[in-house]
């Protein structure tokens, strides 16, 4: 099986674990790691770790291109890339006994000339793939229609498509009837209902309005929705609505859990596993990721 993941917002991910952390003081990490990351890179790594051929479409630039490619080769996936004309960003994960804190560097704009080779690489390689996963926001500089054009092209070829997007990108893409939309609840209700919800807020009271929203989206676009809710049960809508339990575990690092869920769900469904069981199996993979110090990793 061969799956193409799209990541147009790559990053170097530094993960640092501290025995304690005090704001305004010098804090020395007891462990630190460097990984290739960004939502699509995390998904590509998981697909590879699950034993399948994994392609990643992304952009790279600046003076650390070879360093990033080396990290990707170590992770076992093939990188298809175009020169962005801008440096690769760096994000930092801080792990303490109190939880996980993510420090995000916003991406630099890509050179608009980068889009033409990105589109060419996509058109060349989607033909040979069984499925497509598009994850995360686009760096500035790409046209608004890019992701939607990818979905339209993939579906015209009869390919399986899973989206892990939000906002206007998602609204444009679902017009072309992807197979699955995996999205966390806060992003879903903000995208389709205009409601602001914190990621760790208790959202049980939103179940009925969300069920109504999902039913309408399924009836209109025919795509399955899988709504993640952190440690709470997932909500899933296809021809019927159902909930799926999460697995309680000792959490090390939650970065990449949603991306792991998207990747594993794609693998399961392409293997012909029924939706309810596929969500359960994908949740197990996301739980393994939460026990790893590395983002988007189950080994």
């Amino acid at each position: 099986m061969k799956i193409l993941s799209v990541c147009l917002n790559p990053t170097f991910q530094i993960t640092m674990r501290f025995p304690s952390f005090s704001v305004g003081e010098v804090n020395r990490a007891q462990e630190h790691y460097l990984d290739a990351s960004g939502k699509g890179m995390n998904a590509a790594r998981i697909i590879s770790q699950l034993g399948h051929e994994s392609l990643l479409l992304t952009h790279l630039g600046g003076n650390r291109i070879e360093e990033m490619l080396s990290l990707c080769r170590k992770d076992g996936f093939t990188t298809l890339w175009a020169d962005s004309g801008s440096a690769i960003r760096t994000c930092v994960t801080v792990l303490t006994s109190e939880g996980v804190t993510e420090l995000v560097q916003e991406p630099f704009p890509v050179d608009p000339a980068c889009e033409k080779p990105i589109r060419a690489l996509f058109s060349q390689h989607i033909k040979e793939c069984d499925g497509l996963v598009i994850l995360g926001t686009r760096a500035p500089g790409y046209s608004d229609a890019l992701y939607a054009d990818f979905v339209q092209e993939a579906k015209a070829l009869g390919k399986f498509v899973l989206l892990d997007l939000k906002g206007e990108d998602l609204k444009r893409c679902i017009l072309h009837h992807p197979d699955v939309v995996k999205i966390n609840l806060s992003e879903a209700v903000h995208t389709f209902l205009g409601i602001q919800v914190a990621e760790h807020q208790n959202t049980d009271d939103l179940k009925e309005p969300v069920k109504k929203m999902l039913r309408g989206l399924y009836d209109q676009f025919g795509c399955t929705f899988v709504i993640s809710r952190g440690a709470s049960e997932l909500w899933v809508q296809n021809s019927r609505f159902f909930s799926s339990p999460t697995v309680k575990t000792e959490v090390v690092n939650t970065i990449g859990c949603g991306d792991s869920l998207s990747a594993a769900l794609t693998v399961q469904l392409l293997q012909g596993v029924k939706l309810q069981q596929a969500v359960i199996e994908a949740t197990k993979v996301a739980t393994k990721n939460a026990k790893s110090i590395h983002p988007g990793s189950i080994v």
Side-chain angles (χ1 to χ4, degrees):
M1 185 190 304
K2 184 184 292 189
I3 299 170
L4 175 63
S5 301
V6 175
C7 176
L8 299 183
N9 209 349
T11 184
F12 288 103
Q13 190 80 31
I14 298 172
T15 303
M16 308 178 79
R17 196 207 297 260
F18 296 85
S20 61
F21 194 90
S22 300
V23 176
E25 302 291 338
V26 174
N27 296 273
R28 300 187 185 278
Q30 64 183 163
E31 297 175 68
H32 57 89
Y33 305 92
L34 177 66
D35 292 282
S37 195
K39 292 177 69 64
M41 285 194 174
N42 295 339
R45 181 164 46 246
I46 291 291
I47 291 164
S48 175
Q49 291 176 357
L50 290 172
H52 301 281
E53 189 170 355
S54 181
L55 305 182
L56 173 76
L57 176 62
T58 191
H59 60 255
L60 304 172
N63 59 10
R64 299 179 71 185
I65 292 175
E66 186 50 45
E67 183 181 5
M68 179 62 85
L69 290 173
S70 177
L71 289 171
C72 294
R73 284 192 295 269
K74 176 177 68 72
D75 288 332
F77 56 83
T78 300
T79 307
L80 314 169
W81 64 281
D83 195 325
S84 63
S86 56
I88 305 166
R89 65 186 177 136
T90 298
C91 296
V92 180
T93 304
V94 177
L95 306 178
T96 70
S97 59
E98 296 180 356
V100 181
T101 301
E102 181 71 0
L103 307 177
V104 177
Q105 177 187 346
E106 293 297 336
F108 299 104
V110 302
D111 185 329
C114 175
E115 183 166 327
K116 184 176 180 179
I118 285 287
R119 285 181 178 271
L121 285 167
F122 180 86
S123 296
Q124 177 185 348
H125 290 279
I126 189 59
K127 297 171 186 176
E128 67 196 49
C129 293
D130 301 291
L132 168 67
V133 191
I134 305 179
L135 307 97
T137 56
R138 295 169 288 110
Y142 288 109
S143 64
D144 290 345
L146 182 60
Y147 279 169
D149 290 347
F150 284 173
V151 175
Q152 184 177 29
E153 185 172 347
K155 292 311 300 176
L157 292 169
K159 306 298 183 180
F160 174 92
V161 176
L162 182 144
L163 303 178
D164 188 344
L165 302 175
K166 63 181 180 179
E168 294 304 314
D169 269 337
L170 178 54
K171 288 180 178 180
R172 282 187 285 263
C173 285
I174 60 174
L175 298 174
H176 303 294
H177 310 286
D179 297 271
V180 179
V181 173
K182 183 263 142 192
I183 186 172
N184 69 47
L185 181 64
S186 61
E187 292 172 345
V189 297
H190 186 253
T191 296
F192 296 110
L193 299 178
I195 298 173
Q196 294 281 359
V197 174
E199 286 199 27
H200 301 292
Q201 178 180 330
N202 186 316
T203 53
D204 290 345
D205 60 331
L206 287 174
K207 188 170 187 177
E208 289 308 313
V210 169
K211 284 175 68 174
K212 182 179 179 181
M213 174 193 82
L214 294 176
R215 181 76 242 183
L217 289 168
Y218 179 81
D219 288 345
Q220 185 174 3
F221 301 109
C223 50
T224 296
F225 276 78
V226 178
I227 309 293
S228 59
R229 304 169 58 232
S232 300
E233 64 182 12
L234 291 86
W235 293 340
V236 184
Q237 177 75 56
N238 63 347
S239 58
R240 67 182 182 89
F241 178 94
F242 63 90
S243 299
S244 186
T246 54
V247 181
K248 291 186 178 181
T249 190
E250 184 175 342
V251 172
V252 175
N253 186 0
T254 56
I255 303 302
C257 284
D259 313 325
S260 301
L261 180 70
S262 294
L265 186 58
T266 298
V267 168
Q268 289 287 314
L269 292 173
L270 279 171
Q271 289 177 326
V273 178
K274 297 295 185 183
L275 177 62
Q276 192 159 2
Q277 187 61 36
V279 173
I280 290 171
E281 296 302 320
T283 302
K284 292 178 182 178
V285 172
T287 302
K288 284 185 180 180
N289 177 86
K291 295 190 285 186
S292 170
I293 199 166
H294 297 280
S297 181
I298 55 172
V299 298

